[in-house]
Amino acid sequence: MNFLRGVISGQAAGPQPSGAETIHKLCDRVASSTLLEDRRDAVRALKSLSKKYRLEVGTQAMDHLVNILQTDRSDSEILGYALDTLYNILCNDEEEEQDETAQKQSDDLGAQFTEQFVQDPEHVTLLLALLEEFDFHVRWPGVKLLTALLKNQGVQVQGIILVSPMGVSRLMDLLADSREVIRNDGLLLLQQLTKSNAAIQKIVAFESAFERLLDIITEEGSSDGGIVVEDCLLLLLNLLKNNSSNQNFFKEGSYIQRMKPWFEIGDDNSGWSAQKVTNLHLMLQLVRVMVSPVNSPGATASCQKSMYQCGLLQQLCTILMATGVPADILTETINTVSEVIRGSQVNQDYFASVNAPSNPPRPAIVVLLMSMVNERQPFVLRCAVLYCFQCFLYKNQKGQGEIVATLLPSTIDANSISAGQLLCGGLFSPDSLSNWCAAVALAHSLQDNLTQKEQLLRVQLATSLGKPPVSLLQQCTNILSQGDKIVRRGSKVQTRVGLLMLLCTWINNCPIAVTHFLHNQENVPFLTAQISENLGEDERLVQGLCALLLGICIYYNDNSLENYTKEKLKQLIEKRIGKENFVEKLGFITKHELYSRAAQKPQPVFPSPEQMLFDHEFTKLVKELEGVITKAVHKSSEEEKKEEEVKKTLEQHDNIVTQYKELIREQDSQIRELKEQVESVESQNEQLQTSVSQQLSQIQQHKDQYNILKLKLGKESQSNGQVDVSQVNGLQTEELTQLREEVEELRKQHVLFQTQLGDKDALISTLRTETGGGSAGGSDDTELLSELEALRSQVQAQSAEINQMKTERQELLARAEAGSSDGVSSSVGSLEAAKMAEVESRLAAQSAEMERLKEEAKGLSESRAELEQQLAAATSTVAILQTERAKLQTEVQESKKEQDDLLMLLADQDQKIHSLKLKLKGLGEPVDDEDELDARDQTDEEEDEDED
């Protein structure tokens, strides 16, 4: 411990040990100490010595430090010291300024130690595991150390991280760290990780990198943010540049729409900070990456459409026309707008409609062209405007027509400045760069557009007062022939190269323009003179372009001018120049060093104005014409004649081929019609088959219903009811199960009806039993009525007897009154009185008997009334049962009627099936005969009966 304190404090008794000795002792202490505190102090001491004695610490302590990372995971302090020490060993960043030799040695040392460290992939995996530690003193040094490893040995470390499980995901978690220092260094780490590795770029993108980075940019203030925004934009560029998968993911994720707020600038554009300029410059580069011409055309068109729909293009045009924007931002904005509208008709039309905020308003194209032909504007800005104009006209015949129309006499407006006037002014300006830019811009107005090439021949220019106007074509050749006689600012060759490119593009594939060019008697002698002379190195390019122009006049010559037919021009070349010399001069174009540079990409990027000689589209034209012109010049007259004959023959063959093509088209149309007919027949066949299958299914359903009705009506015996109906009718398992359930339900209903009928029969029997009074003989209602009638007759007989006695009594009373009046004797009177008393006694007895019978008759009447009520109730029950029986009979009749209807329907269906089978047989489809099906069904029934 005293030794460590002496090392750290710099105090020591006696002679001071050397740095190597001290480091050796510290390494021994780290390796041998059992106490964690001793090891921690030793590692701290190594850290303090690691910058001064980088080589010694790296060679002696690296293995011990890695061992500390593996064994002392529980102590965050010692881990932090070890990581810091390793970072000091591997990192090449030095605070002190060093000379070139010392810096190179330092870089080599860092590369050597990094290579030694990553020889074991487990070391990098160990660092990735340590990044999961949340402790600041572990995580931050770990991020810095891994960044240093990627800087020194990027490819090797990327490979290790790529195969490490969850390696990239762990690094992406750094962006979610709440501590800004770790998050910001995590951005630097991911920048190094994603360099030139498409696989890692894809993984990072699909780990929600776009979402997180755009959120950070928004939180930091977008273009007004600090260095963090710059780091995020650099990482986005790494992920998107030359990675079509990530570009598509960025577009599909609607992240293009989130870029629009970046370009919303206020009215006061004064005082742009350097960081804001840098941020906005990177944002514009990010937009250009999505619509770069090197991307696939489909992906570029899709991004261009999205940028127009979300308003991003409109926002860029606002910056383009704003005031106070720094020059480099304005230049990059012009380049960005150029690529957003390149090849997109909708975007090009919108750009044509943009007006500058001037009084009166002018189209943005006019304002930009004014900058292009103004020699006081910066060179890069003029190049950007030219690129914007080229992109505006790329595959835009409508725009080409509008530009050429501003040069025609019928559309010229003397009160306003047009694009055509600016281009003509630049073409004849004393500034050579303006000449070249205007010539290239006009050439793009004519690119692949024969109509505009012919229209431009109508343009007339007024040279001076009192002289007739000359055509634009003639004026270009006049300037070309004057050469060095005109005093110009800039390159002497640049103007002539621009004019020759314009003339070559103009007359290419346009025989009328070739005729106009040859009509001037001075043009051909000038070209031959230029080609045949032995000029300096700078003039070789002009000679090559003159040879190209003369070659185009030969190749696209329609022989309308007698003095300049193809054959005469070739003879002229052979006499004045020589064919081999002509071809050699023609080859000067492609051999020029600036030709290959211009052929690489469409944007004109040149380090200086003097090197601005070739246009990208013109290099394509040279590549296309060089071979055919060489062949055309070497052909003799006989070969020309043969070629003419071959052409005529080819034309005849073409006519024949055209006729055959017409015939083939007709046959194709007939075949198409026949195919349609076949398809319609096949569709009809399918419909018929579908109909047949439907009819068969309906027939099967009717058969099933028929069998169910048989079961319901009880017309099948119990043995026949046990036959497997599914086998008879060929039912499927599901239909069999359904049919069995329906039969079971019908059986339950039948049992229920039988139970109800039994209950009603029992009720009738009970009523009959109650009516009989429980007598042994089982007397019924008829016996009761006869007994009642007998009692009634007895009562009536007794009543008649009583009435007779009353009559006799009256007679006796009358006689008695008569005897008393006649003086009958007393004996007779006594006899009559005795007889009278006897009659009255008998009468009293009869009256008593009559009262008794009346009481008995009254009781019987009441009993009869009760029996009549019970009988009425029984009668109503019987009526109800008879009604239900009638209903059941009606249902039976309806079932029989439905059965008859089903039989009729089955007969109709059989007839339809028979007719459909005939149609199918007519169409060649195999159809099973019904007899075979019946035989098969009968066989199945016999097998079922055998099983029963």
Side-chain angles (χ1 to χ4, degrees), residues 682-708:
E682 288 179 352
S683 64
Q684 291 178 0
N685 185 18
E686 292 177 356
Q687 291 177 358
L688 290 174
Q689 288 181 352
T690 306
S691 178
V692 168
S693 62
Q694 291 177 354
Q695 296 291 340
L696 289 174
S697 63
Q698 290 180 0
I699 290 171
Q700 191 62 49
Q701 291 177 1
H702 293 323
K703 286 183 179 179
D704 297 341
Q705 293 177 0
Y706 176 71
N707 292 329
I708 292 170

PDB file of all heavy atoms in Angstrom, residues 682-708:
ATOM      1  N   GLU A 682     -66.018 -23.519 -70.752  1.00  0.00           N
ATOM      2  CA  GLU A 682     -65.560 -24.153 -69.510  1.00  0.00           C
ATOM      3  C   GLU A 682     -66.314 -23.607 -68.310  1.00  0.00           C
ATOM      4  O   GLU A 682     -66.671 -24.355 -67.401  1.00  0.00           O
ATOM      5  CB  GLU A 682     -64.059 -23.907 -69.332  1.00  0.00           C
ATOM      6  CG  GLU A 682     -63.203 -24.715 -70.305  1.00  0.00           C
ATOM      7  CD  GLU A 682     -61.728 -24.421 -70.120  1.00  0.00           C
ATOM      8  OE1 GLU A 682     -61.422 -23.488 -69.345  1.00  0.00           O
ATOM      9  OE2 GLU A 682     -60.900 -25.121 -70.734  1.00  0.00           O
ATOM     10  N   SER A 683     -66.558 -22.293 -68.322  1.00  0.00           N
ATOM     11  CA  SER A 683     -67.329 -21.724 -67.216  1.00  0.00           C
ATOM     12  C   SER A 683     -68.745 -22.278 -67.201  1.00  0.00           C
ATOM     13  O   SER A 683     -69.287 -22.606 -66.139  1.00  0.00           O
ATOM     14  CB  SER A 683     -67.342 -20.197 -67.316  1.00  0.00           C
ATOM     15  OG  SER A 683     -68.004 -19.793 -68.500  1.00  0.00           O
ATOM     16  N   GLN A 684     -69.343 -22.392 -68.436  1.00  0.00           N
ATOM     17  CA  GLN A 684     -70.671 -22.995 -68.508  1.00  0.00           C
ATOM     18  C   GLN A 684     -70.633 -24.434 -68.024  1.00  0.00           C
ATOM     19  O   GLN A 684     -71.538 -24.895 -67.319  1.00  0.00           O
ATOM     20  CB  GLN A 684     -71.196 -22.929 -69.941  1.00  0.00           C
ATOM     21  CG  GLN A 684     -71.529 -21.513 -70.413  1.00  0.00           C
ATOM     22  CD  GLN A 684     -71.993 -21.481 -71.847  1.00  0.00           C
ATOM     23  OE1 GLN A 684     -72.066 -22.517 -72.499  1.00  0.00           O
ATOM     24  NE2 GLN A 684     -72.280 -20.286 -72.347  1.00  0.00           N
ATOM     25  N   ASN A 685     -69.574 -25.140 -68.447  1.00  0.00           N
ATOM     26  CA  ASN A 685     -69.432 -26.520 -67.995  1.00  0.00           C
ATOM     27  C   ASN A 685     -69.333 -26.587 -66.480  1.00  0.00           C
ATOM     28  O   ASN A 685     -69.977 -27.428 -65.829  1.00  0.00           O
ATOM     29  CB  ASN A 685     -68.184 -27.125 -68.651  1.00  0.00           C
ATOM     30  CG  ASN A 685     -68.029 -28.603 -68.323  1.00  0.00           C
ATOM     31  OD1 ASN A 685     -68.982 -29.248 -67.892  1.00  0.00           O
ATOM     32  ND2 ASN A 685     -66.839 -29.130 -68.531  1.00  0.00           N
ATOM     33  N   GLU A 686     -68.509 -25.681 -65.928  1.00  0.00           N
ATOM     34  CA  GLU A 686     -68.403 -25.648 -64.463  1.00  0.00           C
ATOM     35  C   GLU A 686     -69.737 -25.315 -63.813  1.00  0.00           C
ATOM     36  O   GLU A 686     -70.114 -25.897 -62.800  1.00  0.00           O
ATOM     37  CB  GLU A 686     -67.348 -24.622 -64.057  1.00  0.00           C
ATOM     38  CG  GLU A 686     -65.930 -25.026 -64.435  1.00  0.00           C
ATOM     39  CD  GLU A 686     -64.925 -23.952 -64.070  1.00  0.00           C
ATOM     40  OE1 GLU A 686     -65.387 -22.893 -63.593  1.00  0.00           O
ATOM     41  OE2 GLU A 686     -63.716 -24.159 -64.273  1.00  0.00           O
ATOM     42  N   GLN A 687     -70.468 -24.350 -64.444  1.00  0.00           N
ATOM     43  CA  GLN A 687     -71.778 -24.007 -63.905  1.00  0.00           C
ATOM     44  C   GLN A 687     -72.725 -25.203 -63.981  1.00  0.00           C
ATOM     45  O   GLN A 687     -73.478 -25.484 -63.040  1.00  0.00           O
ATOM     46  CB  GLN A 687     -72.361 -22.822 -64.674  1.00  0.00           C
ATOM     47  CG  GLN A 687     -71.618 -21.520 -64.432  1.00  0.00           C
ATOM     48  CD  GLN A 687     -72.167 -20.384 -65.268  1.00  0.00           C
ATOM     49  OE1 GLN A 687     -73.089 -20.596 -66.051  1.00  0.00           O
ATOM     50  NE2 GLN A 687     -71.590 -19.192 -65.106  1.00  0.00           N
ATOM     51  N   LEU A 688     -72.670 -25.916 -65.143  1.00  0.00           N
ATOM     52  CA  LEU A 688     -73.523 -27.096 -65.280  1.00  0.00           C
ATOM     53  C   LEU A 688     -73.139 -28.169 -64.267  1.00  0.00           C
ATOM     54  O   LEU A 688     -74.019 -28.786 -63.648  1.00  0.00           O
ATOM     55  CB  LEU A 688     -73.416 -27.657 -66.707  1.00  0.00           C
ATOM     56  CG  LEU A 688     -74.052 -26.800 -67.818  1.00  0.00           C
ATOM     57  CD1 LEU A 688     -73.736 -27.391 -69.171  1.00  0.00           C
ATOM     58  CD2 LEU A 688     -75.554 -26.694 -67.624  1.00  0.00           C
ATOM     59  N   GLN A 689     -71.820 -28.365 -64.104  1.00  0.00           N
ATOM     60  CA  GLN A 689     -71.405 -29.341 -63.104  1.00  0.00           C
ATOM     61  C   GLN A 689     -71.846 -28.918 -61.707  1.00  0.00           C
ATOM     62  O   GLN A 689     -72.306 -29.736 -60.914  1.00  0.00           O
ATOM     63  CB  GLN A 689     -69.877 -29.487 -63.150  1.00  0.00           C
ATOM     64  CG  GLN A 689     -69.374 -30.237 -64.388  1.00  0.00           C
ATOM     65  CD  GLN A 689     -67.865 -30.368 -64.383  1.00  0.00           C
ATOM     66  OE1 GLN A 689     -67.202 -29.783 -63.543  1.00  0.00           O
ATOM     67  NE2 GLN A 689     -67.340 -31.125 -65.343  1.00  0.00           N
ATOM     68  N   THR A 690     -71.716 -27.625 -61.462  1.00  0.00           N
ATOM     69  CA  THR A 690     -72.188 -27.115 -60.167  1.00  0.00           C
ATOM     70  C   THR A 690     -73.687 -27.326 -60.019  1.00  0.00           C
ATOM     71  O   THR A 690     -74.179 -27.740 -58.957  1.00  0.00           O
ATOM     72  CB  THR A 690     -71.855 -25.623 -60.044  1.00  0.00           C
ATOM     73  OG1 THR A 690     -70.472 -25.418 -60.261  1.00  0.00           O
ATOM     74  CG2 THR A 690     -72.235 -25.110 -58.664  1.00  0.00           C
ATOM     75  N   SER A 691     -74.417 -27.024 -61.126  1.00  0.00           N
ATOM     76  CA  SER A 691     -75.865 -27.234 -61.106  1.00  0.00           C
ATOM     77  C   SER A 691     -76.206 -28.688 -60.885  1.00  0.00           C
ATOM     78  O   SER A 691     -77.105 -29.030 -60.114  1.00  0.00           O
ATOM     79  CB  SER A 691     -76.479 -26.720 -62.407  1.00  0.00           C
ATOM     80  OG  SER A 691     -77.857 -26.957 -62.430  1.00  0.00           O
ATOM     81  N   VAL A 692     -75.462 -29.588 -61.591  1.00  0.00           N
ATOM     82  CA  VAL A 692     -75.708 -31.028 -61.425  1.00  0.00           C
ATOM     83  C   VAL A 692     -75.443 -31.445 -59.986  1.00  0.00           C
ATOM     84  O   VAL A 692     -76.232 -32.188 -59.379  1.00  0.00           O
ATOM     85  CB  VAL A 692     -74.814 -31.818 -62.408  1.00  0.00           C
ATOM     86  CG1 VAL A 692     -74.823 -33.300 -62.054  1.00  0.00           C
ATOM     87  CG2 VAL A 692     -75.316 -31.636 -63.824  1.00  0.00           C
ATOM     88  N   SER A 693     -74.315 -30.969 -59.441  1.00  0.00           N
ATOM     89  CA  SER A 693     -74.016 -31.313 -58.051  1.00  0.00           C
ATOM     90  C   SER A 693     -75.093 -30.779 -57.109  1.00  0.00           C
ATOM     91  O   SER A 693     -75.499 -31.462 -56.163  1.00  0.00           O
ATOM     92  CB  SER A 693     -72.642 -30.767 -57.664  1.00  0.00           C
ATOM     93  OG  SER A 693     -72.630 -29.363 -57.765  1.00  0.00           O
ATOM     94  N   GLN A 694     -75.571 -29.555 -57.405  1.00  0.00           N
ATOM     95  CA  GLN A 694     -76.653 -29.006 -56.584  1.00  0.00           C
ATOM     96  C   GLN A 694     -77.919 -29.839 -56.716  1.00  0.00           C
ATOM     97  O   GLN A 694     -78.598 -30.136 -55.728  1.00  0.00           O
ATOM     98  CB  GLN A 694     -76.917 -27.557 -56.975  1.00  0.00           C
ATOM     99  CG  GLN A 694     -75.802 -26.601 -56.604  1.00  0.00           C
ATOM    100  CD  GLN A 694     -76.075 -25.200 -57.073  1.00  0.00           C
ATOM    101  OE1 GLN A 694     -77.067 -24.966 -57.776  1.00  0.00           O
ATOM    102  NE2 GLN A 694     -75.203 -24.259 -56.708  1.00  0.00           N
ATOM    103  N   GLN A 695     -78.246 -30.222 -57.976  1.00  0.00           N
ATOM    104  CA  GLN A 695     -79.435 -31.044 -58.202  1.00  0.00           C
ATOM    105  C   GLN A 695     -79.299 -32.392 -57.495  1.00  0.00           C
ATOM    106  O   GLN A 695     -80.248 -32.888 -56.882  1.00  0.00           O
ATOM    107  CB  GLN A 695     -79.656 -31.254 -59.707  1.00  0.00           C
ATOM    108  CG  GLN A 695     -79.949 -29.978 -60.480  1.00  0.00           C
ATOM    109  CD  GLN A 695     -81.302 -29.398 -60.119  1.00  0.00           C
ATOM    110  OE1 GLN A 695     -82.153 -30.090 -59.595  1.00  0.00           O
ATOM    111  NE2 GLN A 695     -81.483 -28.112 -60.371  1.00  0.00           N
ATOM    112  N   LEU A 696     -78.066 -32.961 -57.601  1.00  0.00           N
ATOM    113  CA  LEU A 696     -77.865 -34.243 -56.917  1.00  0.00           C
ATOM    114  C   LEU A 696     -78.019 -34.086 -55.410  1.00  0.00           C
ATOM    115  O   LEU A 696     -78.615 -34.934 -54.752  1.00  0.00           O
ATOM    116  CB  LEU A 696     -76.461 -34.774 -57.248  1.00  0.00           C
ATOM    117  CG  LEU A 696     -76.252 -35.276 -58.689  1.00  0.00           C
ATOM    118  CD1 LEU A 696     -74.786 -35.625 -58.908  1.00  0.00           C
ATOM    119  CD2 LEU A 696     -77.136 -36.475 -58.976  1.00  0.00           C
ATOM    120  N   SER A 697     -77.498 -32.984 -54.896  1.00  0.00           N
ATOM    121  CA  SER A 697     -77.649 -32.764 -53.451  1.00  0.00           C
ATOM    122  C   SER A 697     -79.113 -32.548 -53.083  1.00  0.00           C
ATOM    123  O   SER A 697     -79.587 -33.058 -52.063  1.00  0.00           O
ATOM    124  CB  SER A 697     -76.815 -31.565 -53.013  1.00  0.00           C
ATOM    125  OG  SER A 697     -77.274 -30.385 -53.651  1.00  0.00           O
ATOM    126  N   GLN A 698     -79.852 -31.804 -53.967  1.00  0.00           N
ATOM    127  CA  GLN A 698     -81.278 -31.620 -53.710  1.00  0.00           C
ATOM    128  C   GLN A 698     -82.023 -32.951 -53.769  1.00  0.00           C
ATOM    129  O   GLN A 698     -82.892 -33.232 -52.935  1.00  0.00           O
ATOM    130  CB  GLN A 698     -81.855 -30.639 -54.728  1.00  0.00           C
ATOM    131  CG  GLN A 698     -81.386 -29.205 -54.540  1.00  0.00           C
ATOM    132  CD  GLN A 698     -81.968 -28.274 -55.561  1.00  0.00           C
ATOM    133  OE1 GLN A 698     -82.729 -28.707 -56.428  1.00  0.00           O
ATOM    134  NE2 GLN A 698     -81.593 -27.004 -55.491  1.00  0.00           N
ATOM    135  N   ILE A 699     -81.668 -33.786 -54.778  1.00  0.00           N
ATOM    136  CA  ILE A 699     -82.306 -35.104 -54.877  1.00  0.00           C
ATOM    137  C   ILE A 699     -82.007 -35.926 -53.633  1.00  0.00           C
ATOM    138  O   ILE A 699     -82.892 -36.596 -53.077  1.00  0.00           O
ATOM    139  CB  ILE A 699     -81.804 -35.818 -56.149  1.00  0.00           C
ATOM    140  CG1 ILE A 699     -82.376 -35.103 -57.376  1.00  0.00           C
ATOM    141  CG2 ILE A 699     -82.223 -37.282 -56.153  1.00  0.00           C
ATOM    142  CD1 ILE A 699     -81.785 -35.568 -58.667  1.00  0.00           C
ATOM    143  N   GLN A 700     -80.758 -35.840 -53.191  1.00  0.00           N
ATOM    144  CA  GLN A 700     -80.397 -36.580 -51.994  1.00  0.00           C
ATOM    145  C   GLN A 700     -81.196 -36.073 -50.793  1.00  0.00           C
ATOM    146  O   GLN A 700     -81.664 -36.868 -49.967  1.00  0.00           O
ATOM    147  CB  GLN A 700     -78.902 -36.426 -51.727  1.00  0.00           C
ATOM    148  CG  GLN A 700     -78.362 -37.367 -50.654  1.00  0.00           C
ATOM    149  CD  GLN A 700     -78.524 -38.821 -51.060  1.00  0.00           C
ATOM    150  OE1 GLN A 700     -78.168 -39.196 -52.165  1.00  0.00           O
ATOM    151  NE2 GLN A 700     -79.074 -39.627 -50.190  1.00  0.00           N
ATOM    152  N   GLN A 701     -81.360 -34.742 -50.725  1.00  0.00           N
ATOM    153  CA  GLN A 701     -82.168 -34.181 -49.640  1.00  0.00           C
ATOM    154  C   GLN A 701     -83.610 -34.667 -49.723  1.00  0.00           C
ATOM    155  O   GLN A 701     -84.225 -35.004 -48.707  1.00  0.00           O
ATOM    156  CB  GLN A 701     -82.108 -32.658 -49.691  1.00  0.00           C
ATOM    157  CG  GLN A 701     -80.748 -32.083 -49.326  1.00  0.00           C
ATOM    158  CD  GLN A 701     -80.713 -30.585 -49.463  1.00  0.00           C
ATOM    159  OE1 GLN A 701     -81.732 -29.974 -49.821  1.00  0.00           O
ATOM    160  NE2 GLN A 701     -79.559 -29.986 -49.202  1.00  0.00           N
ATOM    161  N   HIS A 702     -84.154 -34.676 -50.976  1.00  0.00           N
ATOM    162  CA  HIS A 702     -85.528 -35.170 -51.142  1.00  0.00           C
ATOM    163  C   HIS A 702     -85.635 -36.632 -50.748  1.00  0.00           C
ATOM    164  O   HIS A 702     -86.631 -37.044 -50.122  1.00  0.00           O
ATOM    165  CB  HIS A 702     -85.975 -34.987 -52.588  1.00  0.00           C
ATOM    166  CG  HIS A 702     -86.121 -33.540 -52.985  1.00  0.00           C
ATOM    167  ND1 HIS A 702     -86.605 -32.573 -52.139  1.00  0.00           N
ATOM    168  CD2 HIS A 702     -85.825 -32.902 -54.146  1.00  0.00           C
ATOM    169  CE1 HIS A 702     -86.609 -31.395 -52.736  1.00  0.00           C
ATOM    170  NE2 HIS A 702     -86.128 -31.562 -53.971  1.00  0.00           N
ATOM    171  N   LYS A 703     -84.623 -37.419 -51.123  1.00  0.00           N
ATOM    172  CA  LYS A 703     -84.646 -38.819 -50.706  1.00  0.00           C
ATOM    173  C   LYS A 703     -84.604 -38.926 -49.196  1.00  0.00           C
ATOM    174  O   LYS A 703     -85.330 -39.739 -48.601  1.00  0.00           O
ATOM    175  CB  LYS A 703     -83.441 -39.538 -51.317  1.00  0.00           C
ATOM    176  CG  LYS A 703     -83.579 -39.815 -52.805  1.00  0.00           C
ATOM    177  CD  LYS A 703     -82.368 -40.597 -53.326  1.00  0.00           C
ATOM    178  CE  LYS A 703     -82.516 -40.908 -54.802  1.00  0.00           C
ATOM    179  NZ  LYS A 703     -81.336 -41.655 -55.328  1.00  0.00           N
ATOM    180  N   ASP A 704     -83.756 -38.097 -48.581  1.00  0.00           N
ATOM    181  CA  ASP A 704     -83.701 -38.120 -47.119  1.00  0.00           C
ATOM    182  C   ASP A 704     -85.040 -37.724 -46.505  1.00  0.00           C
ATOM    183  O   ASP A 704     -85.520 -38.363 -45.565  1.00  0.00           O
ATOM    184  CB  ASP A 704     -82.608 -37.156 -46.631  1.00  0.00           C
ATOM    185  CG  ASP A 704     -81.227 -37.574 -47.100  1.00  0.00           C
ATOM    186  OD1 ASP A 704     -81.080 -38.762 -47.463  1.00  0.00           O
ATOM    187  OD2 ASP A 704     -80.330 -36.717 -47.099  1.00  0.00           O
ATOM    188  N   GLN A 705     -85.646 -36.663 -47.058  1.00  0.00           N
ATOM    189  CA  GLN A 705     -86.960 -36.255 -46.552  1.00  0.00           C
ATOM    190  C   GLN A 705     -87.999 -37.353 -46.771  1.00  0.00           C
ATOM    191  O   GLN A 705     -88.869 -37.584 -45.922  1.00  0.00           O
ATOM    192  CB  GLN A 705     -87.389 -34.963 -47.262  1.00  0.00           C
ATOM    193  CG  GLN A 705     -86.534 -33.767 -46.899  1.00  0.00           C
ATOM    194  CD  GLN A 705     -86.929 -32.529 -47.665  1.00  0.00           C
ATOM    195  OE1 GLN A 705     -87.849 -32.587 -48.476  1.00  0.00           O
ATOM    196  NE2 GLN A 705     -86.219 -31.429 -47.408  1.00  0.00           N
ATOM    197  N   TYR A 706     -87.910 -38.018 -47.917  1.00  0.00           N
ATOM    198  CA  TYR A 706     -88.841 -39.106 -48.209  1.00  0.00           C
ATOM    199  C   TYR A 706     -88.691 -40.217 -47.186  1.00  0.00           C
ATOM    200  O   TYR A 706     -89.684 -40.754 -46.659  1.00  0.00           O
ATOM    201  CB  TYR A 706     -88.571 -39.613 -49.617  1.00  0.00           C
ATOM    202  CG  TYR A 706     -89.423 -40.816 -50.017  1.00  0.00           C
ATOM    203  CD1 TYR A 706     -90.789 -40.673 -50.256  1.00  0.00           C
ATOM    204  CD2 TYR A 706     -88.843 -42.063 -50.173  1.00  0.00           C
ATOM    205  CE1 TYR A 706     -91.547 -41.760 -50.610  1.00  0.00           C
ATOM    206  CE2 TYR A 706     -89.592 -43.146 -50.534  1.00  0.00           C
ATOM    207  CZ  TYR A 706     -90.956 -43.003 -50.757  1.00  0.00           C
ATOM    208  OH  TYR A 706     -91.703 -44.078 -51.118  1.00  0.00           O
ATOM    209  N   ASN A 707     -87.450 -40.597 -46.890  1.00  0.00           N
ATOM    210  CA  ASN A 707     -87.216 -41.646 -45.890  1.00  0.00           C
ATOM    211  C   ASN A 707     -87.690 -41.206 -44.507  1.00  0.00           C
ATOM    212  O   ASN A 707     -88.236 -42.004 -43.740  1.00  0.00           O
ATOM    213  CB  ASN A 707     -85.732 -41.988 -45.844  1.00  0.00           C
ATOM    214  CG  ASN A 707     -85.263 -42.656 -47.117  1.00  0.00           C
ATOM    215  OD1 ASN A 707     -86.037 -43.368 -47.765  1.00  0.00           O
ATOM    216  ND2 ASN A 707     -84.017 -42.427 -47.504  1.00  0.00           N
ATOM    217  N   ILE A 708     -87.462 -39.899 -44.203  1.00  0.00           N
ATOM    218  CA  ILE A 708     -87.931 -39.397 -42.899  1.00  0.00           C
ATOM    219  C   ILE A 708     -89.447 -39.456 -42.806  1.00  0.00           C
ATOM    220  O   ILE A 708     -90.012 -39.826 -41.780  1.00  0.00           O
ATOM    221  CB  ILE A 708     -87.413 -37.965 -42.692  1.00  0.00           C
ATOM    222  CG1 ILE A 708     -85.895 -37.991 -42.521  1.00  0.00           C
ATOM    223  CG2 ILE A 708     -88.051 -37.322 -41.477  1.00  0.00           C
ATOM    224  CD1 ILE A 708     -85.264 -36.617 -42.543  1.00  0.00           C
TER     225      ILE A 708
END
